[in-house]
Amino acid sequence: MWILSEKIDRIQTVLNKHNVDGWIIFCHHSYDVHQRYLLEKWFASPTLTLIPKRGKPSVITSQMEAMLVNEEIYEVNAYKKGSELTEMVNNLLKSFQDKSTLALNFVEPSEVFSKFSSDILTSGTFSALTSINKNLNYVSAKDIIFDVRAVKTQKEIKNHEIAAKLAEELMEEVIEPLIKPGMVEKELAAIIEFECNKRGGVAFEPIVASGPNAAIPHHKAGAGKIEENQVLLIDYGVAYEMSNSDITHTYWIGSKPKEEILRAYEAVHEAKEAAFSKIRAGVSSHIVEMAVREKFEEFGYDHEKLYIHSTGHAIGIETHDIGVGIYRAYPDRPAKELLENSVITVEPGLYFAGDFGIRLEDDCVVTKDGGRRLSNTPKEMVCL
């Protein structure tokens, strides 16, 4: 329970920082990840959670799911039918003083494509909520969401450590010994999902990409077979207490990789190390990104053509979380400084369309002294 109390305390501190009187999350089937984050359960019924800037938070949910709410933390209001839900939501919003400011999970139209992770309310729900009490000010919760999710608590960092450790152990002890030529990609992906669930949960649908499919960064595991004398790329993660890991290995199926494969693998590994040499709190993400691209240039690879994504993203309650990742600065997208106690991925790659791809991905905690690794993909290519 103390972990949940810590979350509420942190959110109320953020609300006071932004001079917001309350944060409302309203959805059904828990499609808003913040509801699962705050209630630590999955709710099928329409459920509203209110975190006020001071005082006890409250939840409105159905009678059949009210027992899932922690009553030591939340004031619980249970409804039997839709008309009661409507009345409870109306009464809640009308209880605020005029000119109070409430944050909702939406963004302004001009930010839909850049802040989409905070744009969660449907237009109908937004209209319904904001029409109940027009004497209130409604603002986007995007800044609150960023402050809550971008920097982790020590408990969340510990959970990320466990998630990464579990992922590495399952790959080394269970998955690697199982991989054989002739296996189907989606068969192996299903096994990985099963093993992740045994250890806590699946962070995301695993990517299993063999041969030319490894040149597609977000390939969906299909009916393709794992064949000898080809690369095999596996991108997967364990979810542990709402903290995810995200790790990518690239293997060679066979006894001896081709020289071009070994050279590309070496370049990707050295690019990953170049990124880690620059990571620390306060450093521009652009500096880290360019260290990777410069390393590829040293190896003679055209990074503009062969490196088709950024080097890393924030990771947290979602695998691609809100926060500061590693990316290039552009005139319309200035770089941000890496945040202390954030958790990010480092995942350089080279992709040769129609032939093969190499990606290595590790998770790390950003500290003032550098990037503390939570996982460590191997320097030498593993042959299976």
Side-chain angles (χ1 to χ4, degrees), residues 42-201:
W42 189 91
F43 287 73
S45 307
T47 299
L48 182 148
T49 305
L50 166 67
I51 311 296
K53 70 177 181 181
R54 63 178 64 89
K56 191 172 185 177
S58 59
V59 173
I60 299 172
T61 192
S62 70
Q63 191 175 49
M64 68 177 180
E65 294 187 316
M67 70 285 293
L68 298 175
V69 183
N70 188 328
E71 293 187 6
E72 292 186 44
I73 302 294
Y74 295 98
E75 178 183 322
V76 183
N77 301 279
Y79 64 85
K80 294 181 181 179
K81 52 187 179 180
S83 59
E84 292 180 355
L85 168 63
T86 301
E87 182 180 359
M88 288 177 180
V89 173
N90 273 265
N91 290 340
L92 175 68
L93 290 175
K94 289 177 180 178
S95 69
F96 282 91
Q97 293 182 352
D98 288 355
K99 306 304 180 183
S100 293
T101 299
L102 296 182
L104 301 174
N105 292 352
F106 76 98
V107 296
E108 298 297 338
S110 62
E111 296 183 305
V112 165
F113 299 113
S114 60
K115 305 289 184 182
F116 55 85
S117 295
S118 302
D119 189 33
I120 303 169
L121 276 179
T122 64
S123 59
T125 302
F126 175 81
S127 296
L129 289 174
T130 56
S131 66
I132 292 171
N133 186 348
K134 295 187 176 181
N135 293 319
L136 303 179
N137 298 316
Y138 298 97
V139 298
S140 169
K142 67 181 190 298
D143 294 332
I144 294 164
I145 290 172
F146 183 90
D147 285 355
V148 168
R149 290 172 58 177
V151 175
K152 313 307 183 192
T153 66
Q154 290 304 307
K155 175 58 179 174
E156 287 169 333
I157 289 172
K158 183 63 178 178
N159 287 344
H160 278 289
E161 291 176 356
I162 294 171
K165 184 173 185 292
L166 290 170
E168 288 203 305
E169 287 176 351
L170 86 84
M171 186 56 62
E172 182 178 350
E173 297 173 8
V174 179
I175 302 303
E176 288 180 4
L178 286 176
I179 296 172
K180 298 289 187 297
M183 289 186 76
V184 175
E185 287 179 347
K186 60 183 179 181
E187 173 191 358
L188 181 56
I191 295 170
I192 293 170
E193 283 201 39
F194 176 73
E195 293 295 334
C196 287
N197 273 317
K198 284 169 62 176
R199 290 159 176 80

Side-chain angles (χ1 to χ4, degrees), residues 269-302:
H269 179 269
E270 290 303 309
K272 178 166 68 82
E273 295 306 303
F276 272 104
S277 74
K278 301 294 185 182
I279 291 172
R280 62 183 50 81
V283 169
S284 167
S285 62
H286 179 80
I287 290 174
V288 184
E289 177 73 22
M290 295 315 295
V292 169
R293 294 180 178 276
E294 288 164 8
K295 184 60 66 175
F296 283 146
E297 283 186 355
E298 288 179 21
F299 274 81
Y301 293 111
D302 182 352

Side-chain angles (χ1 to χ4, degrees), residues 221-234:
K225 289 187 177 181
I226 297 168
E227 297 183 8
E228 198 163 4
N229 296 322
Q230 286 190 341
V231 300
L232 174 65
L233 185 151
I234 300 176

